[in-house]
Amino acid sequence: MRPEEVKALLTAVQERTTSVDAALRKLQEVPVDDLGFARLDGHRELRQGLPEVIYAEGKTVEQIGTIAGRMLETTTAPVLATRVSPDKAGALRSRFPEADCHATARMVVFRAREPSAMTGDITVVSAGTSDLPVADEAVVTAETFGAQVHHVADSGVAGLHRLLGEQQRLHDSDVVIAVAGMEGALASLVGGISSAPVVAVPTSVGYGASFEGLAALLAMLNTCAAGVVVTNIDNGFGAAMFALRLLRKIHKA
Amino acid sequence: MRPEEVKALLTAVQERTTSVDAALRKLQEVPVDDLGFARLDGHRELRQGLPEVIYAEGKTVEQIGTIAGRMLETTTAPVLATRVSPDKAGALRSRFPEADCHATARMVVFRAREPSAMTGDITVVSAGTSDLPVADEAVVTAETFGAQVHHVADSGVAGLHRLLGEQQRLHDSDVVIAVAGMEGALASLVGGISSAPVVAVPTSVGYGASFEGLAALLAMLNTCAAGVVVTNIDNGFGAAMFALRLLRKIHKA
Amino acid sequence: MRPEEVKALLTAVQERTTSVDAALRKLQEVPVDDLGFARLDGHRELRQGLPEVIYAEGKTVEQIGTIAGRMLETTTAPVLATRVSPDKAGALRSRFPEADCHATARMVVFRAREPSAMTGDITVVSAGTSDLPVADEAVVTAETFGAQVHHVADSGVAGLHRLLGEQQRLHDSDVVIAVAGMEGALASLVGGISSAPVVAVPTSVGYGASFEGLAALLAMLNTCAAGVVVTNIDNGFGAAMFALRLLRKIHKA
Amino acid sequence: MRPEEVKALLTAVQERTTSVDAALRKLQEVPVDDLGFARLDGHRELRQGLPEVIYAEGKTVEQIGTIAGRMLETTTAPVLATRVSPDKAGALRSRFPEADCHATARMVVFRAREPSAMTGDITVVSAGTSDLPVADEAVVTAETFGAQVHHVADSGVAGLHRLLGEQQRLHDSDVVIAVAGMEGALASLVGGISSAPVVAVPTSVGYGASFEGLAALLAMLNTCAAGVVVTNIDNGFGAAMFALRLLRKIHKA
Amino acid sequence: MRPEEVKALLTAVQERTTSVDAALRKLQEVPVDDLGFARLDGHRELRQGLPEVIYAEGKTVEQIGTIAGRMLETTTAPVLATRVSPDKAGALRSRFPEADCHATARMVVFRAREPSAMTGDITVVSAGTSDLPVADEAVVTAETFGAQVHHVADSGVAGLHRLLGEQQRLHDSDVVIAVAGMEGALASLVGGISSAPVVAVPTSVGYGASFEGLAALLAMLNTCAAGVVVTNIDNGFGAAMFALRLLRKIHKA
Amino acid sequence: MRPEEVKALLTAVQERTTSVDAALRKLQEVPVDDLGFARLDGHRELRQGLPEVIYAEGKTVEQIGTIAGRMLETTTAPVLATRVSPDKAGALRSRFPEADCHATARMVVFRAREPSAMTGDITVVSAGTSDLPVADEAVVTAETFGAQVHHVADSGVAGLHRLLGEQQRLHDSDVVIAVAGMEGALASLVGGISSAPVVAVPTSVGYGASFEGLAALLAMLNTCAAGVVVTNIDNGFGAAMFALRLLRKIHKA
Amino acid sequence: MRPEEVKALLTAVQERTTSVDAALRKLQEVPVDDLGFARLDGHRELRQGLPEVIYAEGKTVEQIGTIAGRMLETTTAPVLATRVSPDKAGALRSRFPEADCHATARMVVFRAREPSAMTGDITVVSAGTSDLPVADEAVVTAETFGAQVHHVADSGVAGLHRLLGEQQRLHDSDVVIAVAGMEGALASLVGGISSAPVVAVPTSVGYGASFEGLAALLAMLNTCAAGVVVTNIDNGFGAAMFALRLLRKIHKA
Amino acid sequence: MRPEEVKALLTAVQERTTSVDAALRKLQEVPVDDLGFARLDGHRELRQGLPEVIYAEGKTVEQIGTIAGRMLETTTAPVLATRVSPDKAGALRSRFPEADCHATARMVVFRAREPSAMTGDITVVSAGTSDLPVADEAVVTAETFGAQVHHVADSGVAGLHRLLGEQQRLHDSDVVIAVAGMEGALASLVGGISSAPVVAVPTSVGYGASFEGLAALLAMLNTCAAGVVVTNIDNGFGAAMFALRLLRKIHKA
C-alpha cells in the first residue's frame, strides 16, 4: 500500500465515506489467495516487479496444475514452472495443450509474454554440453518474460579462442550470464574481456573434488575480475530473474 | 584492438605505409606498463569499462605509492587503493597530501571523479555497526567513480520495521547493495520488498558457527527472493564495481 | 528411584520387612522391557516427562508392530511412530485398524491423548510447500500429546507481509516453532516480531549451496534475534518434544 | 503499533481531533533513536519482550559509553554489555563507577533489575573450567534481568556421578542450560535425566578435531534425547535470552 | 623374513649348499599368490598376526568365491568376507554350503576358529537398533577368530541407567568396543565408568546434521574421557581387528 | 596461428594476393566445427599437443556417435570416449563394430595409435581391486595414444613388501602414476622409493570418513615425499594426459 | 561404590549400626573435593584405573598450583600437568622446586611413579622434527605412570628404510603409538609391518591443505591396515592414557 | 642397495672374504646420520634422485645451522632451507657468510649448483604480486639445483592478453609451473594454450570465500584442460622438485 493510498483511505475516514472498522480491516488486509497447500501472492508483481513462478520440485502434477490454472485466470502475467520432471511435463501438457515444454531446461511455460516485449538483450555463455540444462533454464526464463537472449554454448576456458570471437557482443549486451561447472574459470574470463555486468552461475557439473559445484562456486566468488557476481549452484532461473530486474531499470530509466 | 583498427592496419600494409614487420609487432604488442613488481594495464578501462584499482594488502607503502604516482601521471581516471591499514594510510598521506583517507573503509582515494559525475544512484543497506567497514568500502568506491550513494546503516533483520520505512527508496534506486553478516537474512528481506537488482555482500561478522562469514554467504546464495546475486565475503569493493557496471548500462542505454 | 523411595526401602531393611539381598537387587534393578531387538524403557516417562516414541527408519513393519503392541498393552500414554514410509504405514494400518496415518508427516499414531488434553498452545510457522513434511511432523507430534497447535503455512520471508498479519498470534502463543529451508531467514523474522520463545527447525529443502540444510542451519544458529534456538535439520519431532516440555512447565507452574 | 492503537488513531481522524497528515506521519513513524553510528530501538522491548543489549565486540569504549548513557537516561530497563575486553571494562568503570564488571563473563552491567524480580529459576550446568566464560555469560545475563540462577560447574560427562547428584534440581528447574565443549555429551546426559526444557550451548573449548566448537555443536544437534535445543557456539547470552522468554511465559501464564 | 632366517641363508651360501643366485632370488622373492584380479598375501599372518579378510564391496560373487576357495585350500586360518549384500550371500551359500551367513552383520564366514579358541573377552556396547549392523560386524569378526564376545545392545546415552547396570562387566573385559551414531556420547560414558581400553566406532546413523556419521566421529575424537580411541565410521570390522591384536598381547604376555 | 603464419598472411596482403577483407576474416576465423550440441575443436591438437576426447557422461549415445563419427572422418588422431556406461558401450559397438570396449575402464576406443607408436614408458601402480576402474582409465588412455604402459595392481601400502619388489622399475620409468583410495599412502611410498616424477590419483574408494575420496586427496597433497603431484579424484584420464605431455617432451627433446 | 560396599552398608542398616538417614546420605554422597573453580574427583582412579591429570590450558598458574598441591597432599598417585606454556612452567617450578619440566612436551611432572614401576613397554614412532611435541607428550605421560617407553623419532614415510630397521621392536612391543602430521601415512606403514596394536596420533603439522591436521586425521581413519585406531589431533596424552589402560590389562591378566 | 650390490655381497660371503655376521649387519644397516633431533638421510639422493632439503619452520636457528653444516661437510649436493623467517635468515647469514638469503622466497641457499648445470628450462607463471613468495620459492629452488628458470609475473586471468604474448614460450618450455590464488583460473588458461606439462600451485592469497587457498585448490583440481596436475597450497618448493624430476627424465633420456 503506497502512501497516497493510505492518505486517500484516511481522508475517506475523515469524510466518513469509510467507517473506522472498514479502514482498519483494509489496513490489515493482505491480498493473498489461499489454495490450501499454497498461497498465491497477487501483490508480488507490484512489490518485486516480477510475478511468482511455480517451483515444481516436490509438488504433484495436481498441485502444479491447480496453481497454474488459477494464475492463468487471475493474472495477465507470464505463468511458468521450473524443475519439472519429464513425467510431470507430459502430464501437464495433456491438461494444458497450449503449454510449451522445454525438455533440456526442465521447464513448462503456460503463458509467455510476446517475444521481445521487453527491450534489452541478454547474452548467456555456457562452458560445456553438460551445463546446458542450467543455461537453458536461464534462457527460457528470460525469453518467457519477453527479453531477447543470445546463447553462446560450448565456450569453456579450454576453448579460449572461441570466446574471443564473441568479445564485441559481450561488451554490447545489457548483461552477461556465464554458466560453468568444473573449475568455473569462464566467469573470470568473461569478466576480464567484457565491460557489461556479469552474473556467474556455477553448475554441479564435474566429478571428484568438484563436490557438486562447490569448486565452481568458490572460484566464481573469488574471481579477480572486478564486477562479477554469483548465484546459487545450478540456479539459472535466479540469474535470469536478476537480469530481468536490470533490464527493467535500463529500459525504463 | 577492435576490428576497425585491425582493418586500418591491414590497409596500411596493403598500401605499404606500414611494413609487414611493423604490422606484425603491432599485432603482437600489448600496452602493458611494467614497474618491476607490477604491470599496469592501460587497456583495462577500454576492455572492462573501469580502470585498475590498487589492492594494498601485501604491498609496501613504497609499492603502493609508486603505482599510484604512475597512474596519476598517465591516466585521468580515478585512482584509489583498498585494504589500506591505518599505518600505510598515514604514510601515504604524507606523500600524497591531497589524498583522502577513509578510516572505516580502509581506503585511500588519490583522485576521484566529480561527485555525481555519473548519473544514477545506489542504495547501500547494512545490518549492524560491525558491518560498516564493508559497507563503507562499497560507498567510497562507488562515490570515487562519481555515483550518487545513499547509505541506510544499522537496519538488520531484527529491526524489520526500520527497513520498511525505506521501502520506496529501495524500489526507486538503480541498484541496491545489501551488506550483512551473522545469518545474512537482510538480503532476503531487501529482495522481497524491492523491485531493483539486489547485490548481497556477506560479511565475516559473527561468532561461533558463522565460520568467518560462511553462514551469511550460504544464506544469501539460497535466498528465496528471486533476483538477488552475491559477492565474496567482505567484498564491498566488488559489489560497488558491479553496481558501476550496471549504472553505465542503465544511463547510457 | 526418588530419594523418598530409597528411604522407604532402607527403612524396610532396617525393619527387616525386606532382606538385604532383596534391597540390593532392587537398587540394581532397572525397569527395562527387553524385546530382543529393542529394550522398552518404562521409566522414561517418569524421568523425562514424556514416553518413548518409535523411530521407524531402519525398523521392519514386524518390529514396529511388536513395539507398538507392547506399548499399547503396558502403558496408557500416547503411542506413535515417526519416519514411517508409505509402505510401512499401509502395512501397519492393516494390523492396527484404529491407527491414524499422517501421510505428509510420515507418522502413524496408534493412540493419542484427548485433543487439548494439555493446556497451552503452539504456533508452527513454515516457509514453503516443500517444508510441509517437517512442519507436519511437529504438528502431529504435539497434537498427539494433547497440545493445541495452530499452523501458519507458506509464510516464507519473500512473503513478509503475510507474516506480519500473524503478529498478534506470534506474541500470544506459548511457544513458536519456525520451520524453513533455503536461507532459513524465517527464524530471524519470527524472532524479531514475537516475544515468545522461538524454536527454529532448518529443513533440507533447497538446492545447490544449501548443502542439504546446512545453509539454513548455520543461518538459524547465527540469527541476530536474541532468544531463538535450533534443532537438527528436518527434526520437527524434536522441536515438538521441546515445546511439550515447555508446556508442562507453563501449565503446571 | 497494536490494532487498538490504530483504531484509536483512525477514530481521532474521523473525529477530526487528528489531521490526515498527522495520522499519516504517525503510521509511517518508527521510534528509532539515531546516535550516528547505531540506532537505538525503543520499541524492541514491546516487540520482543526484552530490551536491546550492547554487543561490545568491534565497538570503541566511546561508542559503548554513549549508547549505555543514552539507554540509562531514556529507559528503566536493565542495561548491559557483552563481550567486553578487560581493557574496555576498566575504561567503562571509570566512566560509570556504579557499573558491575564480570571478568570471567566478559560483561559490564550498567543497571540490573532487582535480584529475583522475575519469578522462576534457571539451572546452568557446565562441563569444565574452560567452559566458565560461556556459562557465566548465561548466568550474568539471566540475573541482570532478575531471574534466579543456580550454576552447577565442572560437571562434565567424565564425572557422570556428579551430575546424578543434581538430578532433582534438574527436574524442578523451569529451564536448564547445558554448556559444554569437546564432545558436548553433557547435553544428551542432562536431556536424558531431566524433564525440563534443555538449552544446549556448545563452546569452542577443545583442541584438534573439535574445530573450534563444531564437534560439540554437531553432537548437540544430534542428541538422541528428545527435547533438547541448541544455540550458536559460545552463545551463553543467547541461551539466557531464550530462557528469559520461557520464564515470562511460564510465570505470566 | 626374520634375521635368523637371513642368517641361515647366508650361512648356506657360505657353505655352498645354496648358490649365490638362489640366495639372491630368495631375498627378492615375496610370497604373493596372484589370482589375476587380486594378490593373496600369505605372509600377512606372520607380519601382522592376523590373516587377510575379503572385503566384498565392489567384488563379484565369482571373485569372492575364487579368493575364498583358494584361502580355504592354502591356509588353515579363518576365512571370512565383510560387506556382503544379501544377494551375494545367497549365491555364496549355494557354492559353499558349510558357510555361515550373518544377515545383520552383512558377513559370510567360510571357516571360523573354534569358539573361545582365543583366551580373553570383548564387550561390545551399542546404542540403538540402527547401530546393530556395525556392532554385529564387530561381534562376528571377533568370534570368527575365536574370541569370547558379550554384546550389550540398545544402551544409548538416553538410557543411561541401563548402562550403569553393566558397570562391572565393563571394568573386567579385556577391551570394550562402543558403537554409536547420532551424537556418539556413548563412548564418553563408557570411557568414564570403565577402566578397560575403549575403542569407539562412530556409525552413520542419524539424520540431518549428523552428516553421515561426522557428528559422532568428531564427538568421539573429542571425548573428555582419557583413554578412548576411534576407528573409521561404520568400521566394526576394524575395531574387532584391533581388539584381537590386544587379546593376543594380553594372553600371550 | 603462429607468428610465421601471420607474417605470411601480412605479406600476402602487401603483395595483394590476399584482400584486406579476406585477411581480416582469416585473423578472426577460428577452426570450430559446430555440431549443434557441441563444437569440435580442430586446432586443439596444435595448441595442446593432444586431440579432444569425448567425455560421455551426460551425453546420449546419439550424441557420442555423431561426435565420434565426425572425428573419425575429419582427423587421423586417436578417437576415444571416457565414462561410458555399459549400456552406452553396447549401443556404440553395434554402430562402430571396430571399436574396442574396455569394461573396467568404462571407455570406448574408436581408433587408437599403433601400440608403442610413442617412445617412452609409464608405470601405473594401483592399491586395491576397487581402484582398478580408475587405474585402467589411465592405462587405456595412455595406450590409445601409443605409449607403453606397465600396470602393477593390488600393491597397497599394507602390502609394502610387494611394492619393494618393483623398486627398479619405478626408478626407470619415465613417469609413475600412483592410484589409491582410502588413506592414499601409496603416493608417499612410491614418491619415497622412486626418482621418477610421480602423479598421484586419489580414488573415491573407501567408506565412512573417506568422504568420497577427500581423505586420499588431502593425504596426497600433503605427502612428505617431495616431487609428487596430484589430479582430481578418480581422474585416471587426466593423469594419463599429463603423462603423455611429458613423454612428448622427453622423446622429442 | 561397588556392590560389596552397598551390601555392607545395607547390612549395617539392618543391624542398626548405621541409621537410615546416614545410609541415605552415604548413597547420595560423592567423593568430590571442591576447590571453588574445579572439583577434584578422588574416585576416578577407582573408576577409570588412572588418576585425574591437570589440563593447564586456560588455567592460571595459581589454579594449577592449588590443584597440584591438593593432589600431592591427598593422593599417592602421579601428579602431572599438560599443555603448560614455558612461562607457566617457570612459575610452577619456583613454587614446586622438585617438579620436572619437559619443554618440548609442554608438561610439568609434580610427582612420578618409579621408572618401570609398570611392567610392559610402549614404542612411540614419530615422523618428523615438528611432530616431537606431540610424541614427547605421549612419552612423558607414559613414563610418569611408570611404563617403559622407546621413542623412534624422525622415521617418516619418506625414510621408509629407517622404519624397516625397527621391525622387530614394532612386533614385540605391547603397543605402538604412531605420531605423524602431513599425510599421516606412517600409521598405515606401521600397521602393515607390525602385529602389535597401533594407536595413531595425527598432528597439526603441515601447511596448506593439511587444514590443521585434518588430512592426517582422515588418512589415519581410512588406513587399509586393519587394527589401527586413532586419537584426536595432537593428542599424545590421550594415546598414552589408552596405552596405559592396555598395559594394566596385559600385565595383570 | 641395488641387486648388483647384494649379489656382490653374497659372492663375498661365498668366497669367505666377508663373514656371515658382517654381511647380515650390512644388509640391516641403513646409512642414517643421527644428529639427535633429526636424522640425515644420505641415501636419499640415490633413492629419489634429489638430496634432502631443510624445512625450517619449527626448527631453531641452532638446529638449522647444525644440519646445514653437516650437509655441507658430508655431501657435494646443493644445501638449502625453505620457510626461513627474516630473523632466522639474518642469524644464519652471520654464521654462514657465503649463504644467499632470498627474502621474498623465504629461503636460504647455503650451496647451489652452477647456474644452468642442468639442461632444460622451466617457465614459472604467477598471477599477482601477492603470489610472488610462492612463485619465488619455486624459482629459487629450481635454480639452486641448476635449472634455467624464466618467471612471468603478474599475469593473472584478468590480464588475459598479457599471457597470450607468452604463448610460444609456454609451448617450448620443458615444464610450466602456474602459481595463482583467488579463483586459480590461471592453471586452466595455461593448460589451454600450452602443450607442455603444467604443474599448478594454488596459493592462500585471497579473502573471504577463498578459505586460505581452498578455492584455488579445488578449481585447479577441476580444470577442464586435460594434463594439468596440482601441488599443495603454497607449495612452490614441491612444484619445483617435481619439475626437477621431469628435467632429469627429459634430458637424460
Side-chain angles (χ1 to χ4, degrees), chain F residues 156-158 160 164 181-185 188-189 192-193 206-211 214-215 218-225, chain G residues 156-158 160 164 181-185 188-189 192-193 206-211 214-215 218-225:
Chain F
V157 68
L160 175 58
L164 296 176
M182 304 186 93
E183 88 278 60
S188 294
L189 269 179
I193 64 178
Y207 49 61
S210 81
F211 296 124
L214 180 63
L218 293 182
M220 286 167 167
L221 286 166
N222 284 286
T223 180
C224 51
Chain G
V157 68
L160 174 58
L164 296 177
M182 304 186 93
E183 88 279 61
S188 294
L189 268 179
I193 65 178
Y207 47 61
S210 80
F211 296 125
L214 180 62
L218 293 181
M220 287 169 167
L221 287 167
N222 284 285
T223 179
C224 52

Side-chain angles (χ1 to χ4, degrees), chain D residues 151-226:
Chain D
H151 185 186
V152 183
D154 214 26
S155 303
V157 68
L160 175 58
H161 55 298
R162 291 176 186 168
L163 202 63
L164 296 176
E166 303 280 351
Q167 202 161 349
Q168 195 59 44
R169 182 190 300 279
L170 295 172
H171 271 287
D172 295 343
S173 289
D174 284 329
V175 56
V176 178
I177 295 174
V179 179
M182 305 186 93
E183 88 278 61
L186 183 66
S188 295
L189 268 179
V190 170
I193 65 178
S194 159
S195 64
V198 178
V199 181
V201 186
T203 75
S204 54
V205 169
Y207 49 62
S210 79
F211 296 125
E212 304 292 317
L214 179 62
L217 171 63
L218 293 182
M220 287 169 167
L221 286 166
N222 283 285
T223 180
C224 50

Side-chain angles (χ1 to χ4, degrees), chain B residues 156-158 160 164 182-183 185 188-189 192-193 206-211 214-215 218-225, chain C residues 156-158 160 164 182-183 185 188-189 192-193 206-211 214-215 218-225:
Chain B
V157 68
L160 175 59
L164 296 177
M182 304 185 94
E183 89 277 60
S188 294
L189 267 179
I193 64 178
Y207 48 59
S210 79
F211 296 124
L214 179 63
L218 292 181
M220 287 168 167
L221 286 167
N222 283 284
T223 179
C224 51
Chain C
V157 68
L160 174 59
L164 296 177
M182 305 186 93
E183 88 277 60
S188 295
L189 267 179
I193 64 177
Y207 48 61
S210 81
F211 296 124
L214 180 61
L218 292 183
M220 287 168 167
L221 286 167
N222 284 285
T223 179
C224 50

